[in-house]
């Protein structure tokens, strides 16, 4: 079964969710940096940032593999920064 044929995994829905993820990471909101700035201890703050960024990178890598797997029939435009 190709993923693009599943409900909620169609190209349009996936593209919207990927853009939302990208916006959280690189957008003005700066989700990762903005939220962790509230932690006062510098060492803890950097550990939090590193862990969150690592998870986001891992997630983006999984999405990239899914989108570019020809068996899933996604157009290349689903992911903006690849």
């Amino acid at each position: 079964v190709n993923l693009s044929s599943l409900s909620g995994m169609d190209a349009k829905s996936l593209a919207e969710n990927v853009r939302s993820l990208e916006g959280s990471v690189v957008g003005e909101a700066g989700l990762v940096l903005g939220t962790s700035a509230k932690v006062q201890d510098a060492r803890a703050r950097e550990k939090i940032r590193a862990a969150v960024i690592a998870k986001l990178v891992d997630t983006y890598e999984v999405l990239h593999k899914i989108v570019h797997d020809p068996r899933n029939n996604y157009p290349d435009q689903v992911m903006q920064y690849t």
Side-chain angles (χ1 to χ4, degrees), residues 15 18 25-26 36 38 40 43-46 48 67 73 75 78:
V18 167
V25 175
V26 299
S36 65
K38 295 177 182 178
Q40 292 184 3
R43 187 174 295 163
R45 184 174 50 246
E46 289 307 314
I48 291 167
V67 167
N73 294 324
V78 169

Side-chain angles (χ1 to χ4, degrees), residues 14-55:
L14 187 59
E16 289 172 0
N17 287 306
V18 167
R19 276 190 273 295
S20 177
L21 173 64
E22 291 168 347
S24 294
V25 175
V26 299
E28 285 183 36
L31 178 68
V32 174
L33 301 178
T35 304
S36 65
K38 295 177 182 178
V39 176
Q40 292 184 3
D41 181 85
R43 187 174 295 163
R45 184 174 50 246
E46 289 307 314
K47 283 183 178 183
I48 291 167
R49 287 180 179 178
V52 171
I53 290 169
K55 281 291 186 189

Side-chain angles (χ1 to χ4, degrees), residues 30 42 56 58 75:
L56 288 169
D58 290 347

